[in-house]
């Protein structure tokens, strides 16, 4: 088994090599209607067709309405209540062990696994297609990813599955009402583009994507980068490849900030929301990215303030997204 459990990514834009340079413009500020192929992302009406819109195109150029905290909170609670694939806290058991007072030491302070048990028989629905996407990636950045036809079909199956859920349907309804997208197909194209387009993080090779970074994890400069998914954590821990060091803090609902290593490479701090479905995370990350890119997105869920941080990469792609615990 390789770095993870499945195969990923449809490479769009004719395998365009994406990298920052001195001429790159990552914002639509002062560029609405502009069409300049020298820029990494575009700000005209054709960018939706060619999937190369800058992150703030929708708000600055398309006239999409802002999404208030109360509207986002209402959406998040509805997604939580209707996340049919989410595991309840009674369907998994964790062992917190040591609270790290100095996470900068990067020393294993917990002798047992983080997960004591997970009711894997309960993992149906979109989890099946999600699991098929986890072992398609190369561990280290700097090595180009390759995508087979079988992996492409797995990606399409995952998109089909999540787009059919109430979680993604309700997310689209809000974004459509606010003027971000005019069709479900357009929203699906957006999700495919910002999450699965390959781009370069190292050595000018197509070695990464938002999905790989956020949900799967990767290694750059001898350290784990990204990696914010609970099920990926569980699988690698079960395979003996992930070593849990301890936690720093918890937050409701079901959030934890912890430290671990994979194949000997350390992730100093990673935030994870336990039990939720991949579509729940992807939906909220996407809404925060499209409405408040490169900023802290705040809302209320289950009576608690929750924060999501997103960053763009070369303007139109998600570089990272995570719960800020």
């Amino acid at each position: 088994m390789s770095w993870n459990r499945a195969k990923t990514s449809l490479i769009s834009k004719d395998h365009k090599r994406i990298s920052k340079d001195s001429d790159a413009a990552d914002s639509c500020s002062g560029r609405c209607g502009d069409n300049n192929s020298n820029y990494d992302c575009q700000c005209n009406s054709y960018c939706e067709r060619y999937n190369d819109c800058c992150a703030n195109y929708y708000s600055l150029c398309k006239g999409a309405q802002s999404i208030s905290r109360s509207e986002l909170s209402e959406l998040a609670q509805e997604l939580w209540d209707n996340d049919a694939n989410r595991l309840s806290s009674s369907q998994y058991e964790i062992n917190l062990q040591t609270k790290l007072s100095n996470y900068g030491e990067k020393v294993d302070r917990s002798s047992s696994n983080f997960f004591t048990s997970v009711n894997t028989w309960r993992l149906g629905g979109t989890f099946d297609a999600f699991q098929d996407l986890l072992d398609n990636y190369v561990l280290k950045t700097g090595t180009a990813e390759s995508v087979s036809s079988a992996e492409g079909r797995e990606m399409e199956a995952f998109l089909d599955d999540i787009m059919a859920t109430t979680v993604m349907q309700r997310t689209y309804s809000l974004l459509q009402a606010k003027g971000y997208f005019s069709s479900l197909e357009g929203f699906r194209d957006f999700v495919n583009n910002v999450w699965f387009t390959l781009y370069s993080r190292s050595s000018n090779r197509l070695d990464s994507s938002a999905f790989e970074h956020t949900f799967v994890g990767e290694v750059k400069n001898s350290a784990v980068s990204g990696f914010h998914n609970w099920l990926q954590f569980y699988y690698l821990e079960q395979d003996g490849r992930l070593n849990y060091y301890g936690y720093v803090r918890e937050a409701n609902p079901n959030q934890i900030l912890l430290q671990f290593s994979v194949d000997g490479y350390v992730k100093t701090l990673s935030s994870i929301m336990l039990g939720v479905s991949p579509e729940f995370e992807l939906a909220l990350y996407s809404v925060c990215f499209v409405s408040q890119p490169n900023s802290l997105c705040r809302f209320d869920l289950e009576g608690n303030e929750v924060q999501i941080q997103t960053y763009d990469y070369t303007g139109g792609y998600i570089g990272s997204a995570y719960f800020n615990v």
Side-chain angles (χ1 to χ4, degrees), residues 89-291:
S89 57
S90 65
Q91 294 171 324
Y92 61 85
E93 183 179 353
I94 62 173
N95 183 6
L96 287 174
Q97 301 168 81
T98 303
K99 185 172 184 178
L100 302 176
S101 57
N102 182 2
Y103 56 80
E105 289 182 342
K106 302 178 184 178
V107 174
D108 182 7
R109 303 293 185 187
S110 301
S111 59
S112 299
N113 281 356
F114 176 75
F115 280 103
T116 302
S117 64
V118 172
N119 288 352
T120 53
W121 59 267
R122 175 66 175 74
L123 295 174
T126 56
F127 280 115
D128 290 338
F130 178 72
Q131 291 173 51
D132 286 342
L133 298 180
L134 293 180
D135 70 352
N136 297 333
Y137 298 95
V138 178
L139 170 59
K140 294 183 179 180
T141 60
T143 301
E145 302 285 356
S146 61
V147 183
S148 69
S149 58
E151 293 165 359
R153 289 192 296 271
E154 289 174 349
M155 186 64 260
E156 288 294 329
F158 175 70
L159 288 171
D160 286 343
D161 283 357
I162 65 169
M163 294 305 295
T165 65
T166 300
V167 166
M168 293 301 285
Q169 295 282 336
R170 178 64 186 90
T171 300
Y172 166 69
S173 294
L174 175 63
L175 293 175
Q176 189 272 335
K178 290 292 185 176
Y180 289 92
F181 303 101
S182 58
S183 69
L184 187 60
E185 181 181 7
F187 178 48
R188 178 192 165 115
D189 287 344
F190 167 82
V191 170
N192 180 28
N193 180 52
V194 299
W195 284 104
F196 293 102
T197 296
L198 292 175
Y199 50 64
S200 176
R201 287 188 191 269
S202 178
S203 304
N204 204 32
R205 295 183 175 94
L206 295 174
D207 60 351
S208 184
S209 70
F211 183 85
E212 177 184 5
H213 182 83
T214 302
F215 289 89
V216 181
E218 50 195 351
V219 168
K220 183 177 181 180
N221 299 326
S222 299
V224 175
S225 178
F227 199 128
H228 299 285
N229 181 258
W230 73 273
L231 190 58
Q232 171 71 340
F233 187 109
Y234 171 73
Y235 281 145
L236 291 185
E237 190 173 57
Q238 290 296 297
D239 287 340
R241 300 180 58 201
L242 187 150
N243 182 22
Y244 170 61
Y245 285 12
Y247 76 103
V248 176
R249 57 179 169 268
E250 297 177 275
N252 290 322
N254 300 357
Q255 300 169 84
I256 187 165
L257 186 66
L258 36 64
Q259 184 175 102
F260 56 89
S261 66
V262 177
D263 291 350
Y265 300 101
V266 175
K267 175 64 177 180
T268 303
L269 289 174
S270 181
S271 57
I272 292 175
M273 180 174 276
L274 300 170
V276 292
S277 70
E279 63 266 24
F280 177 85
E281 292 182 284
L282 193 145
L284 287 178
Y285 290 156
S286 297
V287 170
C288 286
F289 177 73
V290 76
S291 63

Side-chain angles (χ1 to χ4, degrees), residues 46-67:
Y46 292 101
C47 72
E48 291 181 85
R49 178 187 304 173
Y50 294 106
N51 294 321
D52 60 357
C53 298
C54 294
N56 57 7
Y57 162 77
Y58 300 93
S59 57
L60 291 185
C61 304
K62 197 176 179 182
Q65 302 173 39
S66 62
I67 299 175

